[in-house]
Amino acid sequence: MLSARLLTRRSVVIAIIVGTLVGALLIASRRLDEFCPAGDYCDALVGMRHKVPASNAENVSVVESDPHHQEQERPLETPVAQPAADPSCENFPDTSNVLLVMKTGASEAYSKVPTQVLTNLRCLPEYFIFSDMDQHVAGVHIHDSLDTVLPEVKNSSSDFKLYFRQQKCAADQESCDKYADTAAEGWALDKYKNIHIAEKAYNRRPDYDWYLFVDADTYVLWPTMVEWLKQFDPTDPHYLGSVAYLGNTPFGHGGSGYLVSQAAMHDFFHGKTNVANRWDSETTGECCGDLMFSVALKEETGVGVNNTWPTINGEKPFTLAYGSSQWCQPITTMHHIGSEEVSEFHAFELSRNFSSPMRIKDIYHQFVEPRLKPFRADWDNMSDDWMYVSKELYLHLEEWQRDRVKQKQLSKTEEKAHLNSASCREACENHDDCFQWKYEEQICSFAASFKHGRPAKPSTKMAERALSGWNVNKIKAWVIEHDDCGEIVWPNLE
């Protein structure tokens, strides 16, 4: 009888201990979920918790195919929406019909992607980032865009030197690239990405209305972008960009970003395999991936690029040329924008509650107007619309500079403009079309628009210094006269 009672008590104690342990494990698994949102360690707890992707870019589970076979994909997980409680996304527009596809490189990804993820990409329901190496940066899966390039092209071209070195790197990429010219190598490699990226993006997500292709140093003004796209029918074939030319071939400048509609992407890739591979060999002899994308799209579908500059723009707040051609127009993208600038511009959009549209003049008022002053030394305000030089120096100029030198019908102040910075400033002040001037290496340059510019290399020799000035009163008067823009005017399509 005594032993039976002891057994019962022992059973109760054991049951209590087991129950306590199970409860502790359940509580721990929930707490761990707070510290490991990617689910890597949470899943180890006997399968108690479901794995949750860490970010929107992690929503794809893909098996990369042999380059001679169509990509096969596993069932796609449901995209993870941004937290509804995130106050920074409260007024963000609905971008669910636009897929952002970002291009970067392994040598720059860690310096550019994290800030984008925390700001410009933060509220997107889904996006892709492609590179020249498979990586995880800031919790985001960055996909290798070049794994499907034809092996014979990769193995025979020196363009892929960086690609193979990155694969073999036994340390961090920065250390492995320390003694290499990664800028030149990255540029040579970059041109193979664009068509492969587009094909991969469409194969993974074939149902978006719009596909927006950008670089990692591109900033997208989403509220204005969304409003603008409402003007178009995505079932019509569209390829929109800021047009550049190589010879007589037009293409959408990749850094500015380019948009491709559902209809154009469907005609480009639907029901086809290895489209990008058809262009691998030809790309070897060309300069640029954005050029090759345009050539391939035109040949495959007959769709050419529509110029939508300055709404799709390749400049940024400090390099935009403010004036009649860039003032009241809406703007949807900017390029060459560094991480600090991305953060500052995102804060500006937050302060506006993501109001739309953003006009170019709004950027001037926020970023340039507070910094406007008559003169800056060791500064390049990028004045280069027309120039004044001595006859002797003219013979030594580059061709593009000679084309901009004004030589006829000079006023008295223009005749002296090349002598020194004071004469250059005086000539600008007396010229009806001049808003700003720059004097450097005995060249006096004027601009019919106004830019903030950037620092120039300092020098102890006055003759080598870049000196920049602005006609502040003229600029302020022009701004007052043109600040009332009226109704928004979107770019016309050809």
Side-chain angles (χ1 to χ4, degrees), residues 95-133:
T95 61
S96 58
N97 67 332
V98 185
L99 179 64
L100 178 107
V101 184
M102 181 172 285
K103 172 168 67 71
T104 188
S107 60
E108 67 172 20
Y110 278 94
S111 65
K112 294 182 178 180
V113 170
T115 304
Q116 288 276 12
V117 170
L118 291 171
T119 57
N120 200 221
L121 307 182
R122 180 175 186 136
C123 301
L124 297 183
E126 186 179 24
Y127 56 86
F128 284 118
I129 303 180
F130 288 94
S131 181
D132 42 37
M133 182 178 180

Side-chain angles (χ1 to χ4, degrees), residues 63-171:
V63 177
E64 303 294 354
S65 68
D66 182 278
H68 299 289
H69 296 83
Q70 186 178 15
E71 291 188 65
Q72 300 296 319
E73 303 181 24
R74 297 172 186 167
L76 301 175
E77 299 175 12
T78 303
V80 178
Q82 293 293 341
D86 187 343
S88 68
C89 300
E90 184 177 355
N91 297 300
F92 195 76
D94 179 11
T95 61
S96 58
N97 67 332
V98 185
L99 179 64
L100 178 107
V101 184
M102 181 172 285
K103 172 168 67 71
T104 188
S107 60
E108 67 172 20
Y110 278 94
S111 65
K112 294 182 178 180
V113 170
T115 304
Q116 288 276 12
V117 170
L118 291 171
T119 57
N120 200 221
L121 307 182
R122 180 175 186 136
C123 301
L124 297 183
E126 186 179 24
Y127 56 86
F128 284 118
I129 303 180
F130 288 94
S131 181
D132 42 37
M133 182 178 180
D134 196 84
Q135 291 178 296
H136 283 78
V137 177
V140 174
H141 185 193
I142 299 180
H143 303 273
D144 184 356
S145 63
L146 302 178
D147 58 343
T148 48
V149 173
L150 293 173
E152 55 266 32
V153 173
K154 280 196 281 195
N155 294 329
S156 64
S157 174
S158 60
D159 292 340
F160 285 84
K161 180 180 179 180
L162 174 63
Y163 182 78
F164 290 122
R165 186 174 72 245
Q166 289 174 166
Q167 305 290 340
K168 297 177 181 178
C169 179

Side-chain angles (χ1 to χ4, degrees), residues 28 50 142 168 225 257-258 280 342 353 413 441 450 454 481:
H50 292 294
I142 299 180
K168 297 177 181 178
M225 177 68 75
Y258 49 86
D280 287 341
V342 167
N353 294 319
T413 55
E441 296 182 342
F450 37 103
R454 56 204 172 201
E481 183 180 353

